[in-house]
Amino acid sequence: YQKRWVKLDADYLRYFDSEKDTYSKRLIPVSSISRVSSIGDQKFEVVTNNRNFVFRAENDADRNEWIWTLQQIAEERKNKVPERALMSSATDSATELADKSGFLELRGFKHKLFVVVAGDRVFLYKNAEDYRLRIGITYIEMNVGNVKEVDRRTFDLTTPYRIFSFSADSEQEKEEWVEAMQQSITEALSNSEVAERIWAVESNCFCADCGSPKPDWASINLCVVICKRCAGEHRGLGPGITKVRSLKMDRKVWTEELIELFQRFGNMMANQFWAANVPPSEAISPSSGSQERRRFIIAKYREGKYRHYHPLFGNQEELDRALCAAVTTSDLAETQALLFCGASVTCDTGDPQCPTPLALAERSGQRLQMEFLLHNKTSGCFGGCCGVGRSSGRLLSALLCCAEFSRRWCTLQDGVLSYYENDRNTVPNGEIRVEEIVCLPLRSCRAWHSCSAPHEGISTFEVYTEADRLYLFGLESPDSAREWIKSIAKSFVHPRAEELLALDFERLGRLHYKGGLTLERAQEGWFALVGSTLHVCSEDGHRQEPLQLRKLQELCDGVWGNTPADPRCAGRTLYIQGERKLDFLGWVHAIQKAAGSSGDTLSEQQMTESDVPLLVDRCIDYITQCGMGQGIYRKSGQNSKTTSLLEVLQRDARRVRLKEGEHQVDDVANTLKRFFRDLGDGLFTRRWAPEWLWATALEDEEAKVGKYRQLLAALPPVNRATLKALINHLFRVQCFSGENQMNTHNLAIVFGPTLFQTDGKDYKAGRVVEDLISHYVEIFNVKDQEMKKQQDEITAIMKMREASSSGTQQAGDFICTVYLEEKKTETEQHVKIPATMTAEELIFEILDRRKIVMKEKDYWSCFEVNEREEA
């Protein structure tokens, strides 16, 4: 027997190492318990369908209380029918319950674990057999989780209580796991209020297509409540047939009218029309596979195979006349049957005062009829015009359900953007009020198929509204698109943020954010994205210092829900929050793209604060710590690994952590050399490279150094900073030439052709590099204080290497004393810190050791203190 802390709730019997632990050693589903009985001496046995567990309490009274409680809960669960029985039959197969399942390595365990992502939880099992038996190790509530990619195969699931470091078998598999866990976090952060109100109608408690319990998705135009798996197949039909929304996450779309419509309609009324004639052999169940679901849903909604045909089916004129009559009554079933048997939602009523069925419903006070008609107007994005300001112009419109633009007439007047069938119509097809606009992205010119001009180049921009709708406008010239977007922007941007309108922005809109010392409350701000720079204007009109996105230290990917995108620059963190799914995800994608490398020149790379490409900084830092030994830069790494590492670093160096054991020094060194060899325009630039080579002919050493300094000043700032960082690194390498045989001359032989991209054809390239290393202090104007700091760092590295070679500690690791809040003996912890450990990881390590639970509004910081106790 081992002493364990045991917890029992409605779903699981779990035991832990201690009462302070958050995550269990073992969990037993209450539903699997078949019998609980006393076996004497304070002991009792829990019998499951496949395994027995024996517990011993501290006394007989405790034992008897455990037995009685377990028996009561087990009995209650057995009596919960038919809902529990249906759910059990739907989830008993090994994979039905899981959104994703499979084996992963987890740091701290010798063998791979079977991991399952199910809903808003992640479960850990010893093996697949235990998963089948549902006897697990623990589960992780994802409402406190955050997923972060570490390297090619590794990712961390971070909670306030522990970091779970997983490794997958491949990069593709890792990305699938990360996506599944991010979806789980989204689900965990969602709001169930709408779902509970819609589930209050009995028929809405089960999927309209397969019968799965508690469906949390819906088609808002068909008025059916569906499960997650059927929702995926609905999306495949396109928004012209079914518009899929989440009951829990798409909060903005669920107006009181729409909720009431679903309560009145219900799956029962919908299926009396759509599923009136389903043969039993073609029906699907919760356990049906994807192909069966797809076949059934296509037949049901696209083909209308099982629907109840209206008597007027096939007579368009009569259908339209009947629809105009039905929308003035409360008979939603009649409107549904007419509409989905061919009646036109925009048919001419013959009444000049109410020209459409929607107008008739509004005059009759039929709110739910109006809501139903609104969601069944042709789904689409409407677009672009020629002309600006209060004038009107010709308009190109795009529908989501087809790949063509058709022309519309558009006006922007009195704060309303209206679009018409043509310039003679007085009643608009639709309107967008500018105060409802939340975001304006400008797209580049691209080819679209147009009815009037096939393959014509169209410049497009998008309009996002508070109702989480997207409209796409297209014009025949970029200048016209820019004029229109400026005019619309002037109408909807707050006067306090008008200075953003002067920028040549690619995306403009309003979002909520937290930053600086005001982290308690999110405030509304106006954001403008210009290239790789994000401009922010607060709600009080104060324009903040622009964020250079390529210089971000970290960019935490936001998932839809309450989780923000989190760009962090040196000394500054900004939490950006979205209230609407479409435009928030658009911002996240745009920021991610702007924060990444965009080309092969130095200026297009992700940067450090000192204007050095992050890729270069990462490689130099790793080689300095782990690779000053023999053969550095002379041994070639593996070509395939070099290619792979360079691709990953160029894609997003910010996410890459080079770790000893996972990455070989020679591969990293090769990656650095190849980056400079393939660099667009070169490090010395095509304009100035010949001048550098010519300077080697100067015989007077002082004159030559002077010329080098002159040429250095002529380089672009990024090239200048990068050259200094690289030569500084090579200067350090040659300090270890006694060990690595890489003196100044040997380094010049390697790096001269690489930096000048001459393939060894010009010996003067090596001479330049040799001169730069030899005269490093003079050419780069290195101050005494900076030089002393570098010498101290070199000394520290040498001491570390000596300690490593003598076997006293592993290279790259330090034993460090960490104090928690106060410098007292009782608060100190001795921690082995690898070179790659972050402050965040160190904080979690200390808190985990001291069994301290991080609360929601706690902020922990880590300070490094030198020998004189200066932070």
Side-chain angles (χ1 to χ4, degrees), residues 69-85:
T69 306
L70 281 164
Q71 287 174 339
Q72 286 291 109
I73 289 180
E75 194 63 32
E76 283 176 15
R77 289 184 67 91
K78 289 176 185 175
N79 292 335
K80 284 188 179 179
V81 292
E83 184 180 314
R84 285 290 178 186

Side-chain angles (χ1 to χ4, degrees), residues 708-721:
Y708 283 145
R709 292 186 64 171
Q710 181 185 341
L711 291 169
L712 181 67
L715 288 177
V718 173
N719 296 59
R720 191 162 58 244

